[in-house]
Amino acid sequence: MALRSSDDDEAFRDEVRAFLEAKFTPELRALTARQAGVFADGDLARRWHRILFERGWIAPAWPTEYGGPGWTPRQGAIFQEECARAGTPRLPGMGLSLCAPVIMRYGTDAQKAFFLPRMLSGEHYWCQGYSEPQSGSDLASLQTRAVRDGDDYVVSGSKIWTTHAQFANWIFLLVRTSTEGKPQAGISFLVSPMDAPGISVRPIISMSGEHEVNQVFFDNVRVPVANRMGAENEGWTVAKYLLEFERGGGSSGVPLSVALERLVDIARNQPADGAASLYEDPVFRRDLARLEIEVMALAWTERRLAGRRRDGESIGNAAASLKKLCASELGQKIEDLSMRALGLYALPDQRGALGTGANESPIGPEYAVTPTARFLNGRASTIFGGSSEVQRNILARVALGL
Amino acid sequence: MSLDLTEQQTLLRDSVGRFLSDRYSFEARRQILNGDPGWSPTIWRAFAEELGILGAAFAESAGGLGGDALDTMVLMEELGRALVLEPFLETVVLGGGLLKRCAAPLATETIRGIVEGHTRLAFAYSEPQARYRWDDILTQARPEGAAQVLRGRKSVVFGAPAATHLIVSARTGGGRHDHEGVVLVLVDPKAPGVSLRSYRTLDGRLAADIDFHDVRIPPEAVLATSEVAPGIIEAALDEATAAVCAEAAGILDRLVSDTVAYTKERRQFGAPIASFQVLQHRMVNMFVKAQQSAAMSHMAALKLAEAAADGARSVAAAKAYVGEACREVGQSAIQLHGAMGVTDELAVSHYFKRAIAIETQFGSAEHHLNRFQQLSLGMASKTAA
Ligand SMILES: Cc1cc2nc3c(=O)[nH]c(=O)nc-3n(C[C@H](O)[C@H](O)[C@H](O)COP(=O)(O)OP(=O)(O)OC[C@H]3O[C@@H](n4cnc5c(N)ncnc54)[C@H](O)[C@@H]3O)c2cc1C
Ligand SMILES: Cc1cc2nc3c(=O)[nH]c(=O)nc-3n(C[C@H](O)[C@H](O)[C@H](O)COP(=O)(O)OP(=O)(O)OC[C@H]3O[C@@H](n4cnc5c(N)ncnc54)[C@H](O)[C@@H]3O)c2cc1C
């Protein structure tokens, strides 16, 4: 079977391990172990980005002409696996995974030459300006206006839930350039530096107490027409192309398996009533087994669908939605069990020990620091990138023809 | 048995509800939450002096109102609905529940302090090597002359940072899990040898891990000897568990009504999102779970008030049901609020976090399912014998 590893693959795995051994230093490991956000904090993300960039491994999915490493899909999977096992920082993908494919497909040569190398090096840190206060699930109703004025658009309105806008120096955004016809018909895709006059950022604190998302205000911000990707009023096609990557990118089987391994480590060290450890508690074991089987079901579904995509079946949107739906809901179940595994130590607010600036010692065992914050932050995964309800609506339409 | 509230209970509910809607708005609560010490002495004084609820569960002879588990239920539901941070559960229900069963003169005196509003309690019983069992105790109380010397460690002690007195379970004998040899002692948190690591819990309340390093306990501070302590602990924990079920009922009610209100307001695709059938069904499920949780909480309180033979089993059933309902209803409420739901800004995430904490407090749903099974087996074998 095609999925079996060759000797070459094993040699590649050794190379990745040796790299992680050398570059994912104890200091970085300690910092990363105290991260509970959807993505690593800005500073840590930048440091790790730089390290991968220097090795040429920052953009596994990119074609070699733009600086990708030219790996086989199997090598890409091995890299992802080894990074997940080692627990490397979760890098925000707004630039490398979301905006990059758009630039490659819709960008002009000049745009490609300017943006892609800077994205690769980490000089540009991107954020995503899709959602608005009145336009969440109904993205096409967005109202941030862009009015043409000579060689510029003048942009006014507000974006919200903008992840890492406080760290980013570039934003890609959807704007309304026309109110004619269907709402989808008047949208354009722009990019702007975050320090453009008229942009301001308001932090939004999440229920875990962390600051990951923001509201971004545009007050007559001038964006050069040259910063548009794709044609005017055809931004919706661009936006949807990007969403395929947001929903379906990468394999979710690997990070979910690793999350289960972490849970096993916790359970081995946790006390149980009536068993030597929680790991030996029969009820817990059944809960764990159920989740393991669900991860297998998803991982094999992903492999099967990837095969079909190669065979040219058009399941693009359906596959991406199915993956996003299952992976986010399953991820939440694992987060839930990981938190509950801690017993009463699920309850302390560990904020003093969380994040890169934190210096307090954990309350209870070291492994109790992150699961509750991850559980709280993980609630968002069935909301962002298209909620579970929206994914089900898409599947009903696309997969079932309803 | 009647499921109607008495006239007095209705009055109690209404006056507490009115007080909280006047004085404990979400914004007022946020001020308390974000400040030090994380609870409001002013509100606490009002509980004692204006509402008189700190004496609700105590005998009239001790200055209380002579209420029972049903009165506690009525109060806790209201406190839940307003998401009150003050340590009523820890002091009156749990601490008070222990003290009112202890014959020691110091117990009576301490109750008086509670009723008057200057004594706050925390019950230090859970230990790091235990999961949810109260009898998994390694903390030692060794005799030294007429006194005892306390040594050990307690974990996640709710309310401890606000407490003026700690009630501590410890062993004078017996091994881990033995009921024999367990005693209850009253400890001053400022006494030499007591050290607290204080912190907030995820729901913004207070707790601490506590080390007792050779703390001297005078003879009069032994509240309950090993003949009676296990029974007292079980009874008080059952009452406290029933009380958090009632608190949860108030919380779930708010989660449902906030979600219904939000989805009626929020428009997407040109319509209120409440008009989408899939969301309606989800809210109906939330509503059904909340109704049944209130009923289970009511059942548990009634059984305790009547001192029914299946009181403990009823409490286990209620907590198992309500714990799972907290998770399901809470998660649905967040989901239906979209990104607004995961922020600190709206009340819904605060209710959610308390609901999640209640799921674990006094034992998870799994723990109480186990207890329920065991207590059912126990009752079946008694009937057979
Ligand atoms: C942590 C986090 C990070 C985010 N980061 C970004 C970012 O970087 N950039 C960005 O642009 N956006 C970001 N978002 C926003 C995200 O994409 C939106 O939250 C999402 O699209 C849902 O929109 P909403 O929150 O307005 O919810 P709403 O659309 O108001 O939905 C509320 C509820 O109604 C349901 N619903 C809505 N429509 C339907 C329907 N037709 N049928 C059935 N149910 C429906 C939803 O599923 C949800 O349960 C982020 C969100 C979160 C929580
Ligand atoms: C064992 C049995 C005994 C019965 N006895 C009687 C009897 O004594 N007297 C009598 O009058 N009838 C009786 N019925 C008929 C019963 O009332 C109907 O089956 C029922 O009203 C559903 O109608 P239907 O079968 O045509 O299904 P449909 O109405 O076609 O429904 C099919 C499916 O669609 C769902 N559905 C329909 N409308 C909606 C909606 N608006 N929103 C969401 N989902 C929807 C339904 O829940 C169902 O899952 C009986 C049926 C059964 C199975």
Side-chain angles (χ1 to χ4, degrees), chain B residues 255-280:
Chain B
L255 284 167
V256 174
S257 58
D258 277 18
T259 305
V260 169
Y262 183 81
T263 56
K264 281 161 101 172
E265 283 290 313
R266 172 73 173 166
R267 297 177 69 87
Q268 288 292 277
F269 303 100
I273 57 173
S275 66
F276 303 134
Q277 194 179 47
V278 69
L279 301 194
Q280 290 177 355

PDB file of all heavy atoms in Angstrom, chain B residues 255-280:
ATOM      1  N   LEU B 255     -28.696  30.808  31.152  1.00  0.00           N
ATOM      2  CA  LEU B 255     -28.055  30.457  29.879  1.00  0.00           C
ATOM      3  C   LEU B 255     -29.109  30.290  28.788  1.00  0.00           C
ATOM      4  O   LEU B 255     -28.921  30.718  27.648  1.00  0.00           O
ATOM      5  CB  LEU B 255     -27.216  29.178  30.023  1.00  0.00           C
ATOM      6  CG  LEU B 255     -25.869  29.346  30.746  1.00  0.00           C
ATOM      7  CD1 LEU B 255     -25.275  27.983  31.126  1.00  0.00           C
ATOM      8  CD2 LEU B 255     -24.877  30.120  29.880  1.00  0.00           C
ATOM      9  N   VAL B 256     -30.237  29.682  29.149  1.00  0.00           N
ATOM     10  CA  VAL B 256     -31.306  29.496  28.167  1.00  0.00           C
ATOM     11  C   VAL B 256     -31.904  30.852  27.789  1.00  0.00           C
ATOM     12  O   VAL B 256     -32.000  31.189  26.601  1.00  0.00           O
ATOM     13  CB  VAL B 256     -32.404  28.551  28.701  1.00  0.00           C
ATOM     14  CG1 VAL B 256     -33.574  28.482  27.717  1.00  0.00           C
ATOM     15  CG2 VAL B 256     -31.844  27.152  28.950  1.00  0.00           C
ATOM     16  N   SER B 257     -32.257  31.652  28.793  1.00  0.00           N
ATOM     17  CA  SER B 257     -32.965  32.892  28.448  1.00  0.00           C
ATOM     18  C   SER B 257     -32.038  33.875  27.733  1.00  0.00           C
ATOM     19  O   SER B 257     -32.460  34.565  26.801  1.00  0.00           O
ATOM     20  CB  SER B 257     -33.634  33.518  29.674  1.00  0.00           C
ATOM     21  OG  SER B 257     -32.682  33.791  30.659  1.00  0.00           O
ATOM     22  N   ASP B 258     -30.763  33.925  28.124  1.00  0.00           N
ATOM     23  CA  ASP B 258     -29.824  34.810  27.415  1.00  0.00           C
ATOM     24  C   ASP B 258     -29.669  34.375  25.956  1.00  0.00           C
ATOM     25  O   ASP B 258     -29.564  35.218  25.057  1.00  0.00           O
ATOM     26  CB  ASP B 258     -28.436  34.786  28.080  1.00  0.00           C
ATOM     27  CG  ASP B 258     -28.356  35.731  29.269  1.00  0.00           C
ATOM     28  OD1 ASP B 258     -29.427  36.126  29.784  1.00  0.00           O
ATOM     29  OD2 ASP B 258     -27.235  36.076  29.698  1.00  0.00           O
ATOM     30  N   THR B 259     -29.627  33.069  25.742  1.00  0.00           N
ATOM     31  CA  THR B 259     -29.424  32.579  24.380  1.00  0.00           C
ATOM     32  C   THR B 259     -30.650  32.855  23.515  1.00  0.00           C
ATOM     33  O   THR B 259     -30.532  33.286  22.360  1.00  0.00           O
ATOM     34  CB  THR B 259     -29.091  31.068  24.395  1.00  0.00           C
ATOM     35  OG1 THR B 259     -27.967  30.870  25.261  1.00  0.00           O
ATOM     36  CG2 THR B 259     -28.736  30.560  23.016  1.00  0.00           C
ATOM     37  N   VAL B 260     -31.816  32.632  24.093  1.00  0.00           N
ATOM     38  CA  VAL B 260     -33.050  32.923  23.347  1.00  0.00           C
ATOM     39  C   VAL B 260     -33.094  34.413  22.990  1.00  0.00           C
ATOM     40  O   VAL B 260     -33.350  34.786  21.839  1.00  0.00           O
ATOM     41  CB  VAL B 260     -34.296  32.505  24.166  1.00  0.00           C
ATOM     42  CG1 VAL B 260     -35.570  33.051  23.535  1.00  0.00           C
ATOM     43  CG2 VAL B 260     -34.352  30.980  24.280  1.00  0.00           C
ATOM     44  N   ALA B 261     -32.787  35.259  23.974  1.00  0.00           N
ATOM     45  CA  ALA B 261     -32.843  36.701  23.720  1.00  0.00           C
ATOM     46  C   ALA B 261     -31.823  37.104  22.653  1.00  0.00           C
ATOM     47  O   ALA B 261     -32.135  37.878  21.741  1.00  0.00           O
ATOM     48  CB  ALA B 261     -32.590  37.470  25.021  1.00  0.00           C
ATOM     49  N   TYR B 262     -30.595  36.557  22.760  1.00  0.00           N
ATOM     50  CA  TYR B 262     -29.549  36.938  21.805  1.00  0.00           C
ATOM     51  C   TYR B 262     -29.921  36.519  20.383  1.00  0.00           C
ATOM     52  O   TYR B 262     -29.780  37.290  19.432  1.00  0.00           O
ATOM     53  CB  TYR B 262     -28.199  36.321  22.200  1.00  0.00           C
ATOM     54  CG  TYR B 262     -27.081  36.756  21.277  1.00  0.00           C
ATOM     55  CD1 TYR B 262     -26.460  37.996  21.452  1.00  0.00           C
ATOM     56  CD2 TYR B 262     -26.662  35.961  20.216  1.00  0.00           C
ATOM     57  CE1 TYR B 262     -25.462  38.423  20.598  1.00  0.00           C
ATOM     58  CE2 TYR B 262     -25.662  36.381  19.347  1.00  0.00           C
ATOM     59  CZ  TYR B 262     -25.061  37.612  19.544  1.00  0.00           C
ATOM     60  OH  TYR B 262     -24.074  38.038  18.690  1.00  0.00           O
ATOM     61  N   THR B 263     -30.405  35.297  20.234  1.00  0.00           N
ATOM     62  CA  THR B 263     -30.689  34.812  18.879  1.00  0.00           C
ATOM     63  C   THR B 263     -31.903  35.510  18.256  1.00  0.00           C
ATOM     64  O   THR B 263     -32.047  35.528  17.038  1.00  0.00           O
ATOM     65  CB  THR B 263     -30.915  33.283  18.848  1.00  0.00           C
ATOM     66  OG1 THR B 263     -31.965  32.955  19.758  1.00  0.00           O
ATOM     67  CG2 THR B 263     -29.657  32.522  19.232  1.00  0.00           C
ATOM     68  N   LYS B 264     -32.750  36.076  19.104  1.00  0.00           N
ATOM     69  CA  LYS B 264     -33.864  36.854  18.548  1.00  0.00           C
ATOM     70  C   LYS B 264     -33.390  38.203  18.039  1.00  0.00           C
ATOM     71  O   LYS B 264     -33.957  38.771  17.104  1.00  0.00           O
ATOM     72  CB  LYS B 264     -34.957  37.056  19.610  1.00  0.00           C
ATOM     73  CG  LYS B 264     -35.838  35.817  19.784  1.00  0.00           C
ATOM     74  CD  LYS B 264     -36.564  35.853  21.098  1.00  0.00           C
ATOM     75  CE  LYS B 264     -38.005  36.291  20.958  1.00  0.00           C
ATOM     76  NZ  LYS B 264     -38.704  36.123  22.268  1.00  0.00           N
ATOM     77  N   GLU B 265     -32.350  38.734  18.674  1.00  0.00           N
ATOM     78  CA  GLU B 265     -31.797  40.032  18.285  1.00  0.00           C
ATOM     79  C   GLU B 265     -30.852  39.938  17.090  1.00  0.00           C
ATOM     80  O   GLU B 265     -30.875  40.774  16.192  1.00  0.00           O
ATOM     81  CB  GLU B 265     -30.971  40.606  19.453  1.00  0.00           C
ATOM     82  CG  GLU B 265     -31.784  41.200  20.577  1.00  0.00           C
ATOM     83  CD  GLU B 265     -32.445  42.494  20.131  1.00  0.00           C
ATOM     84  OE1 GLU B 265     -31.748  43.333  19.515  1.00  0.00           O
ATOM     85  OE2 GLU B 265     -33.650  42.657  20.399  1.00  0.00           O
ATOM     86  N   ARG B 266     -29.986  38.948  17.137  1.00  0.00           N
ATOM     87  CA  ARG B 266     -28.903  38.831  16.159  1.00  0.00           C
ATOM     88  C   ARG B 266     -29.455  38.425  14.796  1.00  0.00           C
ATOM     89  O   ARG B 266     -30.146  37.422  14.667  1.00  0.00           O
ATOM     90  CB  ARG B 266     -27.908  37.772  16.658  1.00  0.00           C
ATOM     91  CG  ARG B 266     -26.821  37.393  15.673  1.00  0.00           C
ATOM     92  CD  ARG B 266     -25.796  38.481  15.538  1.00  0.00           C
ATOM     93  NE  ARG B 266     -24.657  38.065  14.712  1.00  0.00           N
ATOM     94  CZ  ARG B 266     -23.773  38.936  14.228  1.00  0.00           C
ATOM     95  NH1 ARG B 266     -23.906  40.231  14.477  1.00  0.00           N
ATOM     96  NH2 ARG B 266     -22.755  38.512  13.511  1.00  0.00           N
ATOM     97  N   ARG B 267     -29.128  39.216  13.787  1.00  0.00           N
ATOM     98  CA  ARG B 267     -29.597  38.914  12.436  1.00  0.00           C
ATOM     99  C   ARG B 267     -28.443  38.496  11.541  1.00  0.00           C
ATOM    100  O   ARG B 267     -27.383  39.107  11.554  1.00  0.00           O
ATOM    101  CB  ARG B 267     -30.292  40.144  11.833  1.00  0.00           C
ATOM    102  CG  ARG B 267     -31.543  40.573  12.577  1.00  0.00           C
ATOM    103  CD  ARG B 267     -32.128  41.841  11.969  1.00  0.00           C
ATOM    104  NE  ARG B 267     -32.681  41.580  10.644  1.00  0.00           N
ATOM    105  CZ  ARG B 267     -33.927  41.164  10.441  1.00  0.00           C
ATOM    106  NH1 ARG B 267     -34.746  40.957  11.450  1.00  0.00           N
ATOM    107  NH2 ARG B 267     -34.346  40.951   9.206  1.00  0.00           N
ATOM    108  N   GLN B 268     -28.635  37.460  10.780  1.00  0.00           N
ATOM    109  CA  GLN B 268     -27.730  37.058   9.699  1.00  0.00           C
ATOM    110  C   GLN B 268     -28.602  36.549   8.561  1.00  0.00           C
ATOM    111  O   GLN B 268     -29.689  36.011   8.803  1.00  0.00           O
ATOM    112  CB  GLN B 268     -26.785  35.940  10.158  1.00  0.00           C
ATOM    113  CG  GLN B 268     -25.694  36.382  11.135  1.00  0.00           C
ATOM    114  CD  GLN B 268     -24.657  37.310  10.491  1.00  0.00           C
ATOM    115  OE1 GLN B 268     -23.717  36.880   9.845  1.00  0.00           O
ATOM    116  NE2 GLN B 268     -24.850  38.612  10.669  1.00  0.00           N
ATOM    117  N   PHE B 269     -28.137  36.664   7.360  1.00  0.00           N
ATOM    118  CA  PHE B 269     -28.892  36.222   6.179  1.00  0.00           C
ATOM    119  C   PHE B 269     -30.289  36.863   6.145  1.00  0.00           C
ATOM    120  O   PHE B 269     -31.278  36.223   5.783  1.00  0.00           O
ATOM    121  CB  PHE B 269     -29.014  34.689   6.141  1.00  0.00           C
ATOM    122  CG  PHE B 269     -27.689  33.974   6.170  1.00  0.00           C
ATOM    123  CD1 PHE B 269     -27.193  33.434   7.347  1.00  0.00           C
ATOM    124  CD2 PHE B 269     -26.920  33.872   5.011  1.00  0.00           C
ATOM    125  CE1 PHE B 269     -25.964  32.796   7.373  1.00  0.00           C
ATOM    126  CE2 PHE B 269     -25.682  33.225   5.031  1.00  0.00           C
ATOM    127  CZ  PHE B 269     -25.210  32.680   6.223  1.00  0.00           C
ATOM    128  N   GLY B 270     -30.355  38.101   6.628  1.00  0.00           N
ATOM    129  CA  GLY B 270     -31.608  38.841   6.533  1.00  0.00           C
ATOM    130  C   GLY B 270     -32.687  38.401   7.498  1.00  0.00           C
ATOM    131  O   GLY B 270     -33.854  38.774   7.324  1.00  0.00           O
ATOM    132  N   ALA B 271     -32.343  37.616   8.494  1.00  0.00           N
ATOM    133  CA  ALA B 271     -33.372  37.156   9.441  1.00  0.00           C
ATOM    134  C   ALA B 271     -32.748  36.980  10.822  1.00  0.00           C
ATOM    135  O   ALA B 271     -31.532  36.771  10.927  1.00  0.00           O
ATOM    136  CB  ALA B 271     -33.953  35.828   8.956  1.00  0.00           C
ATOM    137  N   PRO B 272     -33.567  37.057  11.876  1.00  0.00           N
ATOM    138  CA  PRO B 272     -33.021  36.729  13.202  1.00  0.00           C
ATOM    139  C   PRO B 272     -32.529  35.277  13.168  1.00  0.00           C
ATOM    140  O   PRO B 272     -33.212  34.414  12.594  1.00  0.00           O
ATOM    141  CB  PRO B 272     -34.235  36.852  14.134  1.00  0.00           C
ATOM    142  CG  PRO B 272     -35.300  37.537  13.361  1.00  0.00           C
ATOM    143  CD  PRO B 272     -35.015  37.331  11.909  1.00  0.00           C
ATOM    144  N   ILE B 273     -31.356  35.015  13.763  1.00  0.00           N
ATOM    145  CA  ILE B 273     -30.854  33.643  13.683  1.00  0.00           C
ATOM    146  C   ILE B 273     -31.775  32.680  14.441  1.00  0.00           C
ATOM    147  O   ILE B 273     -31.773  31.486  14.173  1.00  0.00           O
ATOM    148  CB  ILE B 273     -29.386  33.515  14.152  1.00  0.00           C
ATOM    149  CG1 ILE B 273     -29.214  34.020  15.577  1.00  0.00           C
ATOM    150  CG2 ILE B 273     -28.445  34.241  13.193  1.00  0.00           C
ATOM    151  CD1 ILE B 273     -27.821  33.767  16.141  1.00  0.00           C
ATOM    152  N   ALA B 274     -32.599  33.217  15.352  1.00  0.00           N
ATOM    153  CA  ALA B 274     -33.572  32.367  16.055  1.00  0.00           C
ATOM    154  C   ALA B 274     -34.592  31.759  15.100  1.00  0.00           C
ATOM    155  O   ALA B 274     -35.313  30.836  15.461  1.00  0.00           O
ATOM    156  CB  ALA B 274     -34.289  33.162  17.143  1.00  0.00           C
ATOM    157  N   SER B 275     -34.667  32.278  13.882  1.00  0.00           N
ATOM    158  CA  SER B 275     -35.643  31.701  12.956  1.00  0.00           C
ATOM    159  C   SER B 275     -35.118  30.433  12.289  1.00  0.00           C
ATOM    160  O   SER B 275     -35.864  29.726  11.626  1.00  0.00           O
ATOM    161  CB  SER B 275     -36.028  32.737  11.889  1.00  0.00           C
ATOM    162  OG  SER B 275     -34.907  33.031  11.080  1.00  0.00           O
ATOM    163  N   PHE B 276     -33.806  30.119  12.480  1.00  0.00           N
ATOM    164  CA  PHE B 276     -33.279  28.884  11.881  1.00  0.00           C
ATOM    165  C   PHE B 276     -33.685  27.694  12.750  1.00  0.00           C
ATOM    166  O   PHE B 276     -33.414  27.652  13.942  1.00  0.00           O
ATOM    167  CB  PHE B 276     -31.758  28.960  11.729  1.00  0.00           C
ATOM    168  CG  PHE B 276     -31.290  30.128  10.908  1.00  0.00           C
ATOM    169  CD1 PHE B 276     -30.249  30.932  11.330  1.00  0.00           C
ATOM    170  CD2 PHE B 276     -31.924  30.437   9.702  1.00  0.00           C
ATOM    171  CE1 PHE B 276     -29.828  32.024  10.574  1.00  0.00           C
ATOM    172  CE2 PHE B 276     -31.508  31.520   8.940  1.00  0.00           C
ATOM    173  CZ  PHE B 276     -30.472  32.322   9.377  1.00  0.00           C
ATOM    174  N   GLN B 277     -34.294  26.721  12.098  1.00  0.00           N
ATOM    175  CA  GLN B 277     -34.871  25.624  12.871  1.00  0.00           C
ATOM    176  C   GLN B 277     -33.827  24.852  13.673  1.00  0.00           C
ATOM    177  O   GLN B 277     -34.084  24.417  14.795  1.00  0.00           O
ATOM    178  CB  GLN B 277     -35.615  24.674  11.929  1.00  0.00           C
ATOM    179  CG  GLN B 277     -36.499  23.714  12.674  1.00  0.00           C
ATOM    180  CD  GLN B 277     -37.240  22.802  11.712  1.00  0.00           C
ATOM    181  OE1 GLN B 277     -36.649  22.240  10.795  1.00  0.00           O
ATOM    182  NE2 GLN B 277     -38.522  22.667  11.918  1.00  0.00           N
ATOM    183  N   VAL B 278     -32.625  24.720  13.101  1.00  0.00           N
ATOM    184  CA  VAL B 278     -31.611  23.938  13.804  1.00  0.00           C
ATOM    185  C   VAL B 278     -31.239  24.618  15.128  1.00  0.00           C
ATOM    186  O   VAL B 278     -30.972  23.956  16.124  1.00  0.00           O
ATOM    187  CB  VAL B 278     -30.384  23.695  12.885  1.00  0.00           C
ATOM    188  CG1 VAL B 278     -29.617  24.975  12.612  1.00  0.00           C
ATOM    189  CG2 VAL B 278     -29.475  22.641  13.486  1.00  0.00           C
ATOM    190  N   LEU B 279     -31.280  25.936  15.141  1.00  0.00           N
ATOM    191  CA  LEU B 279     -30.998  26.642  16.389  1.00  0.00           C
ATOM    192  C   LEU B 279     -32.185  26.545  17.344  1.00  0.00           C
ATOM    193  O   LEU B 279     -32.013  26.428  18.558  1.00  0.00           O
ATOM    194  CB  LEU B 279     -30.640  28.107  16.116  1.00  0.00           C
ATOM    195  CG  LEU B 279     -29.428  28.365  15.217  1.00  0.00           C
ATOM    196  CD1 LEU B 279     -28.998  29.839  15.313  1.00  0.00           C
ATOM    197  CD2 LEU B 279     -28.250  27.468  15.551  1.00  0.00           C
ATOM    198  N   GLN B 280     -33.385  26.585  16.789  1.00  0.00           N
ATOM    199  CA  GLN B 280     -34.575  26.431  17.652  1.00  0.00           C
ATOM    200  C   GLN B 280     -34.536  25.089  18.372  1.00  0.00           C
ATOM    201  O   GLN B 280     -34.772  25.008  19.574  1.00  0.00           O
ATOM    202  CB  GLN B 280     -35.857  26.527  16.820  1.00  0.00           C
ATOM    203  CG  GLN B 280     -36.124  27.924  16.291  1.00  0.00           C
ATOM    204  CD  GLN B 280     -37.361  27.983  15.403  1.00  0.00           C
ATOM    205  OE1 GLN B 280     -37.974  26.952  15.102  1.00  0.00           O
ATOM    206  NE2 GLN B 280     -37.719  29.181  14.975  1.00  0.00           N
TER     207      GLN B 280
END
